[in-house]
């Protein structure tokens, strides 16, 4: 049996702030006041107060509290033991429970699932000591405390925590002349590792989402050897000018030891194209399928009316869409069976073949070098997607080459795709995802801890033994972690606490750098960031200049169609 307790008042001394008198009452003390400003209420809340007179008054006399007023009798039914845990005065989140709540939240568990797990672990909600609302309020309070240092301090503290958990975690940001953070880039060890293995083709886009700060989210992404999507890096940009993109591309290459992709796909943004020409002029730049299809619909929509099959023919002839990766080689092999040789010319580099597909008028030009077994087609299928086209396979077959040369079997398509050694920005070997290591270690330790807790809980001697052992073990672990932390801080002196790696300042309009030349090395600025630069304006509405893109390095007005990643 039980009841809720509420503090009625507390008086404090003006000299030292100590409590002089206080009074506690029953939670059903008093009556609800009438709200004169509200009329015609349809569903009134139930009356919870019964004007209960139970109270206890305490007075401080020489550091000891004495009871000076006490009423014991209630005028209502008391709560049953299975419901007392829902009373506000009985609810409390212990330190151990708080750590479990934070661990569940960091692991991505929803609040409902985390609360259900904790209640089952405690043997029921009645033994848990708090409600689901208390869990929600605790997480909200934790988020509010994390922002006590401001957005910039919270961001940098998060990056530092990730750096401590993942030593290969890379981040960089750019400040303007007022020490406000403008552009931010980050990549963890898994992203760096994936880019080292599968970074030959990269898709870059800033149209994913816009937050309340009106900042575009930029994502570097691609495919692994299972055709699964992987992320190579992410950034929050202040704007979408050539200066911001130039800084971002340079930072991306810096995080990956200047390793450049062979092909990069972007949307139709002139600022991106300008920055790419300056930073990575040798990388092939193509457009994603979605924008190309939008261009075709806008300019050639008159050909798609009625029962026209223009859109279907446009997709198939442009080879915008192809089968899944495990069928692509078979698809190209079938294409080679339908190819025929129109002409063959000898040149200084070898032989030139004219290839046509039966039933189509499009002609492809294939160059073949017999000594090197090198083949190159005008469709640029291998250069863009890493798969030899049917036109090239036809030429190899004509020259009695029945096995695909090794240089045309990319490592990303083999079972040894992840066998290469990848280095990070400090030339340390990137082995595997540190988060997966933490999860595996947690799974190994957790069953033993649960076993010890459940087995010795009914034995006084066993409980004392385990409690003492865990206390000593915790002390030793804290000392070990403190020594490792000091060693890591001594080794990693290249990243200062609050100003990580800042590059050259930007002007407020982000159109040109101020206070630094374009040749200034990154990391030259040592000032502390004062905050994250705010950008005024409404939510972005992208306006693209529509036009089909012509292939780089192709003659005449040949249209270049690429596939979206």
């Amino acid at each position: 049996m039980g009841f809720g307790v509420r503090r009625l008042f507390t008086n404090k001394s003006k000299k030292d702030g100590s409590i002089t008198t206080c009074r506690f009452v029953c939670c059903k003390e008093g009556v609800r006041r009438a709200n004169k400003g509200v009329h015609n209420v349809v569903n009134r809340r139930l009356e919870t107060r019964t004007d209960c007179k139970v109270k206890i008054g305490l007075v401080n006399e020489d550091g000891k509290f004495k009871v000076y007023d006490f009423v014991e009798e209630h005028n209502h039914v008391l709560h049953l033991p299975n419901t007392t845990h829902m009373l506000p005065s009985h609810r409390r989140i212990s330190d151990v429970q708080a750590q479990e709540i934070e661990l569940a939240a960091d692991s991505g568990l929803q609040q409902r699932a985390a609360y259900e797990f904790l209640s089952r672990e405690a043997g029921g909600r009645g033994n848990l000591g708090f409600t689901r609302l208390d869990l929600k309020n605790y997480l909200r309070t934790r988020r509010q405390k994390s922002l006590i240092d401001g957005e910039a301090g919270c961001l940098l503290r998060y990056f530092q925590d990730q750096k401590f958990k993942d030593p290969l975690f890379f981040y960089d940001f750019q400040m303007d002349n007022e020490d406000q953070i403008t552009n931010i880039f980050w990549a963890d060890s898994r992203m760096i590792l994936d880019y080292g293995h599968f970074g030959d083709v990269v898709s870059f886009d800033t149209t994913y989402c816009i937050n309340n700060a009106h900042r575009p989210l930029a994502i570097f992404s691609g495919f692994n050897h299972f055709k699964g999507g992987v992320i190579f890096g992410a950034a929050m940009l202040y704007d979408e000018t050539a200066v911001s993109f130039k800084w971002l591309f340079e930072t991306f290459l810096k995080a990956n030891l200047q390793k450049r992709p062979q092909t990069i796909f972007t949307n139709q943004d002139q600022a991106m194209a300008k920055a790419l020409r300056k930073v990575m002029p040798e990388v092939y730049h193509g457009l994603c399928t979605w924008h190309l299809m939008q261009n075709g619909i806008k300019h050639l929509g008159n050909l798609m009316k009625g029962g026209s099959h223009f859109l279907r023919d446009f997709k198939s002839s442009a080879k915008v869409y192809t089968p899944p990766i495990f069928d692509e080689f078979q698809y190209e092999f079938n294409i080679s069976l339908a190819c025929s040789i129109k002409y063959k010319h000898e040149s200084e580099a070898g032989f030139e073949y004219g290839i046509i597909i039966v039933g189509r008028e499009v002609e492809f030009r294939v160059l073949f070098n017999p000594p090197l077994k090198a083949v190159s087609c005008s469709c640029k299928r291998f250069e863009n997607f890493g798969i030899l086209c049917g036109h090239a396979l036809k030429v190899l077959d004509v020259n009695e080459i029945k096995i695909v040369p090794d240089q045309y079997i990319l490592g990303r398509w083999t079972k040894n795709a992840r066998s290469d050694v990848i280095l990070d920005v400090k030339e340390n070997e990137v082995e595997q995802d540190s988060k997966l290591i933490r999860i595996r270690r947690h799974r190994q330790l957790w069953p033993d801890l649960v076993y010890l807790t459940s087995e010795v809980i009914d034995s006084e001697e066993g409980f004392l033994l385990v409690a003492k052992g865990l206390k000593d073990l915790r002390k030793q672990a804290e000392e070990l972690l403190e020594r490792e932390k000091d060693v890591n801080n001594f080794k990693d002196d290249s990243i200062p606490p609050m100003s990580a790696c800042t590059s050259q300042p930007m002007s407020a309009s982000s159109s040109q750098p101020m206070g630094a030349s374009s040749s200034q090395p990154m990391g030259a600025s040592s000032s502390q960031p004062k905050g994250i630069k705010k950008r005024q304006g409404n939510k972005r509405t992208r306006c693209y200049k529509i036009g089909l893109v012509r292939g780089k390095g192709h003659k005449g007005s040949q249209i270049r169609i690429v596939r979206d990643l």
Side-chain angles (χ1 to χ4, degrees):
M1 308 295 284
F3 61 95
V5 179
R6 179 162 49 89
R7 184 175 58 188
L8 185 63
F9 67 83
T10 300
N11 295 324
K12 295 183 178 181
S13 173
K14 295 182 178 179
K15 296 181 179 179
D16 54 4
S18 61
I19 297 177
T20 56
T21 57
C22 61
R23 174 173 291 177
F24 297 91
V25 297
C26 177
C27 64
K28 294 183 179 293
E29 180 270 344
V31 295
R32 181 187 297 171
R33 296 179 181 179
N35 193 341
K36 299 180 180 180
V38 179
H39 304 283
N40 301 326
V41 179
V42 178
N43 296 321
R44 292 185 177 274
R45 297 177 61 184
L46 295 178
E47 182 64 55
T48 58
R49 298 193 183 187
T50 61
D51 196 19
C52 182
K53 301 300 182 181
V54 171
K55 60 183 177 180
I56 182 173
L58 303 174
V59 60
N60 188 350
E61 295 183 358
D62 299 330
K64 296 182 179 180
F65 286 94
K66 295 183 178 181
V67 178
Y68 71 90
D69 188 10
F70 179 68
V71 177
E72 184 178 5
E73 296 296 330
H74 295 270
N75 62 0
H76 57 87
V77 179
L78 299 182
H79 285 271
L80 298 176
N82 58 350
T83 60
T84 53
H85 69 279
M86 302 183 66
L87 296 172
S89 59
H90 290 62
R91 300 189 328 236
R92 177 179 175 272
I93 298 178
S94 64
D95 295 338
V96 176
Q97 291 173 335
Q99 294 178 3
E100 293 180 342
I101 292 174
E102 294 178 1
L103 178 61
D106 296 338
S107 301
L109 290 179
Q110 296 182 354
Q111 294 180 7
R112 181 189 299 273
Y115 182 75
E116 185 66 22
F117 170 75
L118 294 175
S119 62
R120 291 190 179 185
E121 185 183 37
R125 298 185 178 182
N127 301 327
L128 190 57
F130 60 90
T131 64
R132 183 183 168 190
L133 180 62
D134 297 327
L135 185 148
K136 178 181 178 181
N137 292 337
Y138 174 80
L139 292 177
R140 182 181 61 184
T141 303
R142 188 186 70 154
R143 289 193 295 268
Q144 292 174 348
K145 289 181 179 180
S146 66
L147 295 175
I148 192 171
D149 296 330
E151 292 182 343
C154 178
L155 176 67
L156 297 182
R157 186 169 62 252
Y158 170 78
F159 283 157
Q160 291 168 16
D161 292 340
Q162 295 300 312
K163 186 73 176 177
F164 180 74
K165 298 175 183 178
D166 181 4
L168 303 181
F169 183 87
F170 177 90
Y171 70 97
D172 197 354
F173 59 86
Q174 187 179 34
M175 296 192 302
D176 63 1
N177 54 351
E178 298 178 351
D179 293 336
Q180 297 287 326
I181 296 178
T182 54
N183 300 318
I184 310 164
F185 172 82
W186 67 94
D188 59 22
S189 59
R190 182 62 179 271
M191 298 177 183
I192 297 174
L193 188 65
D194 286 336
Y195 180 77
H197 293 308
F198 312 110
D200 50 345
V201 179
V202 176
S203 177
F204 175 73
D205 196 7
T206 60
T207 59
Y208 287 94
C209 67
I210 297 296
N211 58 8
N212 295 331
H214 314 291
R215 287 175 170 267
L217 173 65
I219 298 292
F220 295 90
S221 60
F223 282 136
N224 59 18
H225 52 320
F226 296 114
K227 204 66 181 288
V230 290
I231 303 298
F232 301 140
M236 290 291 292
L237 300 177
Y238 177 74
D239 55 18
E240 295 178 278
T241 59
V243 174
S244 293
F245 286 129
K246 182 176 180 294
W247 174 87
L248 178 58
F249 294 146
E250 291 174 346
T251 306
F252 178 74
L253 294 179
K254 176 185 177 183
N256 294 280
L257 290 180
Q258 302 300 321
K259 177 184 176 181
R260 287 165 166 75
Q262 297 180 10
T263 303
I264 184 168
F265 295 107
T266 68
N267 55 34
Q268 192 168 345
D269 191 298
Q270 298 299 325
M272 286 185 193
K274 182 179 179 181
L276 280 172
R277 287 193 297 268
K278 291 183 178 180
V279 181
M280 295 180 280
E282 71 284 359
V283 175
Y284 181 83
H285 180 204
L287 295 186
C288 65
T289 302
W290 186 86
H291 291 92
L292 292 175
M293 297 307 300
Q294 294 300 314
N295 292 345
I297 293 174
K298 180 172 182 179
H299 291 281
L300 307 174
N302 60 315
L303 301 178
M304 303 178 187
K305 297 179 180 179
S308 173
H309 299 290
F310 177 81
L311 185 59
R312 180 195 64 188
D313 298 337
F314 177 70
K315 292 179 181 180
S316 60
S317 63
K319 303 183 79 171
V320 175
Y321 298 93
T322 58
I325 188 62
F326 50 82
D327 289 336
E328 284 191 3
F329 184 81
Q330 183 66 34
Y331 173 83
E332 295 297 338
F333 177 76
N334 293 334
I335 290 294
S336 68
L337 298 179
C339 291
S340 63
I341 298 178
K342 185 177 181 180
Y343 64 85
K344 175 183 177 181
H345 299 312
E346 186 174 2
S347 62
E348 296 180 358
F351 297 93
E352 178 182 326
Y353 291 83
I355 304 296
I356 60 173
I357 302 177
V358 178
R360 300 185 185 179
E361 299 180 356
V362 182
E363 179 181 316
F364 300 92
R365 185 168 57 92
V366 180
L367 300 178
F368 176 67
N369 188 328
L372 301 178
K373 295 183 180 180
V375 63
S376 176
C377 182
S378 59
C379 72
K380 298 297 181 181
R381 176 73 170 162
F382 179 80
E383 288 77 0
N384 289 334
F385 306 112
I387 298 290
L388 278 180
C389 61
H391 327 119
L393 292 176
K394 181 66 176 181
V395 173
L396 293 177
D397 181 64
V398 169
N399 288 272
E400 298 299 328
I401 299 178
K402 304 301 182 181
I403 300 178
V404 177
D406 294 340
Q407 64 265 32
Y408 299 113
I409 302 178
L410 300 183
R412 61 155 47 237
W413 306 132
T414 67
K415 62 181 180 181
N416 299 322
R418 294 184 178 272
S419 61
D420 296 337
V421 176
I422 307 301
L423 302 179
D424 69 340
V425 67
K426 296 182 180 179
E427 297 187 358
N428 297 320
E429 181 178 349
V430 183
E431 296 182 354
Q432 54 182 318
D433 190 358
S434 60
K435 293 182 179 179
L436 297 179
I437 297 177
R438 297 179 69 245
I439 294 174
R440 187 181 71 249
R441 291 175 179 174
H442 184 271
R443 289 178 178 176
Q444 292 178 351
L445 294 176
W446 182 250
D448 294 335
L449 296 177
V450 173
Y451 173 80
L452 289 175
T453 303
S454 60
E455 290 295 325
V456 305
I457 198 69
D458 297 326
S459 173
E460 180 69 20
E461 185 177 354
F463 168 76
L464 294 177
L465 175 64
V466 173
K468 182 178 183 303
L470 290 178
K471 185 176 181 180
D472 297 338
L473 184 61
R474 178 177 178 178
K475 182 178 179 181
Q476 296 176 12
E478 290 177 349
E479 294 176 354
L480 175 63
L481 293 176
E482 190 66 25
R483 290 196 300 268
E484 289 183 352
K485 184 177 180 181
D486 294 339
V487 172
N488 291 334
N489 291 338
F490 176 77
K491 290 181 178 180
D492 191 15
D493 56 355
S494 61
I495 300 182
M498 293 295 290
S499 60
C501 338
T502 55
S503 59
Q504 61 184 18
M506 293 178 59
S507 65
S509 61
S510 298
S511 60
Q512 60 182 1
M514 294 183 62
S517 63
S518 58
S519 60
Q520 179 179 349
M522 300 179 67
S525 176
S526 60
S527 58
Q528 300 287 342
K530 299 179 180 179
I532 298 179
K533 189 176 182 64
K534 301 297 182 181
R535 185 179 182 185
Q536 304 297 330
N538 299 324
K539 191 171 183 179
R540 176 185 61 171
T541 55
R542 295 292 299 263
C543 179
Y544 298 99
K545 294 182 179 180
I546 306 298
L548 291 175
V549 176
R550 307 191 183 282
K552 177 180 177 182
H554 292 269
K555 297 181 180 180
S557 58
Q558 183 178 1
I559 295 176
R560 181 66 175 155
I561 305 294
V562 296
R563 183 177 62 174
D564 188 12
L565 285 180

